[in-house]
Amino acid sequence: MANAAATLFVSYLEAKGITPRYVDDEERVVRVGWRLDNTSTSMYFFFSEDCSDVAIRAREFVNVPKDKIANMYKIVNDCNNNFRWIKFVINEEEGEISAGAIAKKTGLSVPTVTKLLETMVGSGIATNCGKRHKQGGRMPVVYSVNKDAACFAGIEVHHHHISIGICDFAGNIICKKENIPFLLDGENPYEDLCSTINVTALTIKELWARTISAAVSIPGRVHTASGESFNYFSSAGKPLAAALEDRFGKRFYIDNDSRVMCYGEYMSKKLYDIRNLLYINLNWGLGMGMILNGKLYYGFTGLSGELGHLTLFENEIFCRCGKKGCLETEASGFAAKRLLISKHNAGAQSILTRKLDLDQQLTLDDFVEAINSEDMLMIEIIEEIGSQLGKGVAAMINIFNPE
């Protein structure tokens, strides 16, 4: 029996003028060949038996020259974005949509969409919700995503805590564990991350058993396609995504926290009509996510959005990246902490003075609480940071001209 997700994927590609082919009897593995800017490559898409997950592989089958790897990653990201979009089409209209509406949005024929939907219903991915009343014409049969088909996990890694959420197959958040203590700059953050996931999984055994994949957002430079974090988790001994998959037996994806926030904002608020959007993430560091031409932008090597590492100042302050004068040295949580300590040592008073005297750990929440309590020193510091941040944001607006 044909795999429903693979069949949907193949039909979508065919509608776009791309000719894929199955390479196995069960029709769960799809081979696609592309040519882009004089670069040709073949990719293999492995669809899980329950139609809930897809893995993309090239290394086992294709020897890609180094000068063509960047184009290959662009192809993977474009395909990934398009395939995710189909899922959201099916999940629109308050959770219900007809075959005709899907056909209109995807460019597929109604008979093809109907056949695909019937296969998806048979696989438990979608649900036939029956006919719905419509003014004029026949009542259409509508479908929805089966929210109980599987669960997904989202894991937010911050400098001082981790938050974990579980959502159902329709994207509804059904469980949240927030602000779990964690130190990203600790002795072994990889083992601490695994321990945190393990402990949380034990408290939600049933949901974790139904969870088929997890996405992890991480500060710093992240290469999504290879699953590598370049700034943290080196003790994993291999790309972080692969290490987590080996540890937990589930599919793991990682991405930069600013890109994840940008995409989450874009999808949760249904900003589909906006083609160009910039998301500024002012945290301990400073990052940026970008939606360009309606798609999440990764850049040539997948490391886009490093707004904080624009060299704008001659301040002789070393940034975490090793350079001097980065925007992040004057506009970030780290900058706020440095300024607070400097002004405290010069005799300035603050609500946070006691924590500083006792050498206690400062958090971003401490800064926010002090500002909300009208702490004049922290307000002065935030005004300084805002002024410096504005220089970088203005530059991005002039370059990208976002909506």
Side-chain angles (χ1 to χ4, degrees):
M1 180 179 177
N3 181 277
T7 303
L8 180 63
F9 179 60
V10 167
S11 297
Y12 178 80
L13 291 178
E14 289 176 341
K16 297 294 182 180
I18 300 172
T19 304
R21 67 180 180 85
Y22 294 107
V23 297
D24 67 322
D25 294 335
E26 295 180 355
E27 297 186 354
R28 289 202 297 117
V29 182
V30 179
R31 176 188 175 278
V32 186
W34 283 281
R35 180 173 293 278
L36 178 68
D37 299 335
N38 298 318
T39 299
S40 60
T41 186
S42 295
M43 305 295 296
Y44 289 76
F45 297 80
F46 295 78
F47 291 84
S48 61
E49 189 173 352
D50 60 1
C51 305
S52 59
D53 195 15
V54 59
I56 304 174
R57 292 288 184 265
R59 293 176 182 171
E60 292 87 340
F61 301 91
V62 181
N63 183 18
V64 182
K66 287 185 178 180
D67 62 336
K68 297 182 179 180
I69 288 178
N71 274 339
M72 184 190 75
Y73 285 143
K74 181 180 185 301
I75 291 168
V76 171
N77 287 331
D78 285 349
C79 191
N80 222 5
N81 285 332
N82 288 334
F83 190 56
R84 281 199 300 263
W85 181 78
I86 290 180
K87 191 264 184 183
F88 282 107
V89 166
I90 299 175
N91 202 30
E92 284 182 350
E93 309 294 339
E94 297 183 352
E96 296 181 353
I97 192 169
S98 67
I102 293 176
K104 184 177 180 180
K105 290 176 180 290
T106 62
L108 302 173
S109 68
V110 173
T112 297
V113 171
T114 301
K115 182 180 178 181
L116 290 170
L117 287 170
E118 289 173 353
T119 304
M120 293 172 69
V121 169
S123 301
I125 296 174
T127 301
N128 185 325
C129 301
K131 294 183 177 181
R132 291 291 185 266
H133 178 71
K134 176 183 178 183
Q135 288 186 340
R138 295 185 300 173
M139 291 190 296
V141 175
V142 296
Y143 299 83
S144 68
V145 170
N146 177 12
K147 63 183 181 65
D148 297 321
C151 292
F152 304 93
I155 302 171
E156 290 183 343
V157 176
H158 298 271
H159 281 272
H160 297 129
H161 70 273
I162 291 176
S163 293
I164 299 177
I166 304 291
C167 71
D168 60 24
F169 198 64
N172 304 307
I173 297 176
I174 52 181
C175 177
K176 287 194 294 185
K177 304 289 183 179
E178 298 182 288
N179 298 320
I180 304 168
F182 171 79
L183 284 178
L184 185 58
D185 294 316
E187 291 185 7
N188 195 335
Y190 171 67
E191 288 300 330
D192 292 342
L193 172 63
C194 291
S195 176
T196 300
I197 296 174
N198 264 326
V199 171
T200 303
L202 289 173
T203 66
I204 51 172
K205 286 184 179 180
E206 183 180 347
L207 289 178
W208 186 251
R210 291 169 49 201
T211 298
I212 59 175
S213 67
V216 186
S217 70
I218 305 168
R221 291 176 176 264
V222 174
H223 198 284
T224 307
S226 62
E228 295 178 84
S229 169
F230 296 119
N231 298 102
Y232 303 102
F233 305 107
S234 58
S235 63
K238 60 174 67 175
L240 179 60
L244 291 171
E245 288 177 3
D246 290 345
R247 180 70 70 95
F248 295 100
K250 301 178 186 292
R251 174 70 63 185
F252 272 79
Y253 304 89
I254 69 169
D255 208 335
N256 170 264
D257 55 352
S258 300
R259 276 198 294 266
V260 171
M261 292 177 183
C262 177
Y263 191 68
E265 189 81 2
Y266 184 75
M267 297 307 301
S268 65
K269 294 190 176 178
K270 298 184 177 181
L271 304 175
Y272 312 133
D273 292 333
I274 295 179
R275 303 290 294 169
N276 299 284
L277 175 149
L278 302 181
Y279 181 97
I280 309 299
N281 176 23
L282 178 59
N283 208 289
W284 279 109
L286 176 63
M288 180 174 71
M290 294 174 281
I291 300 288
L292 300 181
N293 294 322
K295 294 182 179 180
L296 193 62
Y297 184 73
Y298 282 81
F300 185 67
T301 58
L303 300 174
S304 68
E306 294 295 333
L307 171 63
H309 300 296
L310 290 178
T311 304
L312 295 182
F313 308 106
E314 296 182 1
N315 57 15
E316 294 300 308
I317 299 174
F318 276 105
C319 180
R320 292 176 303 146
C321 70
K323 298 187 300 181
K324 293 180 180 179
C326 290
L327 178 57
E328 188 174 293
T329 64
E330 298 286 357
S332 65
F334 288 121
K337 182 178 179 180
R338 188 194 74 248
L339 290 169
L340 176 63
I341 293 173
S342 175
K343 292 176 184 292
H344 169 72
N345 291 340
Q349 295 298 307
S350 166
I351 292 174
L352 301 175
T353 295
R354 179 172 175 76
K355 272 202 164 188
L356 291 169
D357 289 340
L358 296 175
D359 197 26
Q360 294 179 348
Q361 177 180 286
L362 289 169
T363 67
L364 294 178
D365 287 339
D366 289 331
F367 298 159
V368 173
E369 185 177 341
I371 293 168
N372 290 337
S373 299
E374 299 184 357
D375 183 276
M376 296 309 298
L377 180 58
M378 276 309 305
I379 290 174
E380 176 187 325
I381 289 172
I382 291 302
E383 286 178 347
E384 289 183 36
I385 287 175
S387 176
Q388 304 292 31
L389 176 61
K391 298 175 183 177
V393 173
M396 294 301 100
I397 291 173
N398 285 328
I399 293 171
F400 292 101
N401 187 29
E403 295 171 61

